[in-house]
Amino acid sequence: MVRQLTRETMDLPAYQVERRQRILDAAKNLLRANEYESIQIRDVASEANVALGTLYRYFSSKEHLYANVVYDWSVPFGSADEAVPDSLSTTERVAQRLRQALAAFQKRPNFYQTILMLRTSSDPDVRELMQQLVLLLEEPLRADFSTLSPDEAADITAMVWAILMDMVGRLLAGNQTLEDANRVLVRFVKMIGLRLDQVEAGAL
């Protein structure tokens, strides 16, 4: 099924949306097996069975292409109720989201590294797309923290993602185990739970 992910696809006819998605899928497959730096744009065109010029009609650069790739890969994580039972408490939901994200990054370390690199891109199109990616990934957590003020929910969401990305980095560097990373995340979520309890109790 073809997804229209960004405003870049809004005015494309269906056959071009499908072709664009085929290029994204090819680039995604290459990133699963190779580090970002080792992938050549012509390799993606060949994998997608399109001419190099055709690829450049949709993506202005390798950075632009892979910003769309990591966005496309991240879309399932942007669903507020993705595989998270309604019966869970707020802290249980947050912990489960973090475990899912940690496992996904551990399974696809090249995607994590690519996201880190693209977040510092000077290309305005790439920067805009990476900002959209941040909003996409943060939205479920903001919803989880809806009992807090919007500013506090945004601040705690930013803290959660900072902790998560640090844990992923340590895990992939071999500085800690998956068990260690999950323990730290659970401990941090429990701290957030204390604040949520304060709010529910009417404390400032």
Side-chain angles (χ1 to χ4, degrees), residues 88-91 93 144-149 152 192-204:
L88 296 182
S89 68
T90 298
T91 52
R93 286 199 307 273
D144 288 335
F145 302 141
S146 60
T147 58
L148 303 174
S149 70
E152 187 172 7
I192 296 172
L194 295 176
R195 175 56 185 154
L196 295 173
D197 290 343
Q198 285 182 329
V199 172
E200 291 178 2
L204 296 179

Side-chain angles (χ1 to χ4, degrees), residues 64-193:
H64 185 220
L65 167 61
Y66 273 95
N68 279 275
V69 166
V70 295
Y71 188 100
D72 186 52
W73 177 72
S74 301
V75 163
F77 302 110
S79 174
D81 58 357
E82 182 75 21
V84 179
D86 294 335
S87 59
L88 296 182
S89 68
T90 298
T91 52
E92 289 171 336
R93 286 199 307 273
V94 172
Q96 181 159 328
R97 294 189 202 288
L98 295 181
R99 284 194 296 269
Q100 291 171 345
L102 185 65
F105 281 126
Q106 183 192 30
K107 184 177 180 181
R108 303 295 183 198
N110 293 338
F111 286 77
Y112 166 78
Q113 298 293 349
T114 302
I115 289 172
L116 289 186
M117 285 188 291
L118 293 177
R119 288 181 69 178
T120 61
S121 173
S122 60
D123 183 325
D125 289 334
V126 173
R127 291 174 68 89
E128 179 183 352
L129 193 54
M130 296 309 291
Q131 289 170 359
Q132 291 181 36
L133 175 60
V134 170
L135 293 175
L136 172 79
L137 295 176
E138 288 187 349
E139 182 57 33
L141 289 171
R142 288 174 185 259
D144 288 335
F145 302 141
S146 60
T147 58
L148 303 174
S149 70
D151 286 346
E152 187 172 7
D155 289 346
I156 291 180
T157 296
M159 294 178 202
V160 170
W161 275 102
I163 291 289
L164 172 64
M165 296 303 274
D166 183 66
M167 289 300 101
V168 173
R170 295 186 187 204
L171 178 62
L172 297 182
N175 296 330
Q176 66 181 15
T177 65
L178 181 61
E179 181 180 0
D180 291 335
N182 277 315
R183 187 187 67 251
V184 172
L185 292 174
V186 168
R187 192 182 299 274
F188 183 63
V189 170
K190 286 181 179 179
M191 293 171 61
I192 296 172

